[in-house]
Amino acid sequence: MREQHGHEQHAQGFERGTDGPKIIVVGVDGSDSSLRAAAYAGGLARRQRALLAVVYVQPVLTAGAALGAPVAETTDEIAEDLIAQIRAAAERVKGIFDMRWEFHTFRGDPYNGLVKAADELKADAVVVGASEQAGHRIIGSVAIRLVKAGRWPVTVVP
């Protein structure tokens, strides 16, 4: 006769629907893969009843690129366009899916911006789109660098 110590205690301690992520950060930049990542993260947030923090990282201008303001204006336009797209998508499913979401803009390179966002927002999970740039196969994409950081569960959406 074998005894099972503590097994039943653990089974009773589990509460359905309470151990998933509470804050999910998704990085968006307007690319198709980032928009798919946002859609995936939105579904995850809805099912987990988590807050979806949509993050756009605005590139920081280097001294050479700061000759004129068009680049800064362009990144502001991208942010505004992303907010408009997300609001439109949220309106289309309003009433069908009840989900809380916020939009945040950080400045910097995509990797450091997402790390800062995930830290400041106290993310439980990070979702990003797979890189669509060929050079990232050599240097490493933002997604790979986030996974290697090992600070949050990271989901990469193709």
Side-chain angles (χ1 to χ4, degrees), residues 2-148:
R2 291 175 48 187
E3 290 184 61
Q4 293 180 334
H5 295 288
H7 176 69
E8 289 178 28
Q9 214 171 16
H10 291 291
Q12 292 173 345
F14 176 79
E15 289 182 47
R16 185 178 199 108
T18 58
D19 14 340
K22 294 296 169 208
I23 299 174
I24 299 169
V25 166
V26 60
V28 294
D29 61 7
S31 67
D32 287 344
S33 69
S34 81
L35 297 176
R36 286 191 298 271
Y40 177 87
L44 185 60
R46 178 183 52 79
R47 290 187 298 278
Q48 295 290 338
R49 293 184 178 87
L51 172 67
L52 178 64
V54 180
V55 174
Y56 169 61
V57 181
Q58 286 187 308
V60 173
L61 302 179
T62 62
L67 298 173
V71 178
E73 287 172 14
T74 301
T75 62
D76 286 340
E77 285 171 19
I78 291 170
E80 287 168 22
D81 184 49
L82 287 168
I83 293 169
Q85 285 183 51
I86 293 160
R87 283 207 174 110
E91 282 300 313
R92 283 195 299 272
V93 296
K94 198 174 187 176
I96 302 168
F97 303 125
D98 190 17
M99 184 182 71
R100 297 175 301 132
W101 65 278
E102 303 171 344
F103 186 89
H104 299 271
T105 302
F106 286 80
R107 293 194 182 275
D109 67 274
Y111 170 75
N112 287 310
L114 284 172
V115 167
K116 184 178 179 182
D119 283 345
E120 286 185 16
L121 299 169
K122 297 181 176 27
D124 296 305
V126 177
V127 179
V128 291
S131 174
E132 295 176 354
Q133 294 180 352
H136 285 170
R137 290 189 195 108
I138 301 159
I139 334 171
S141 68
V142 171
I144 290 169
R145 292 174 67 195
L146 287 168
V147 170
K148 285 182 177 177

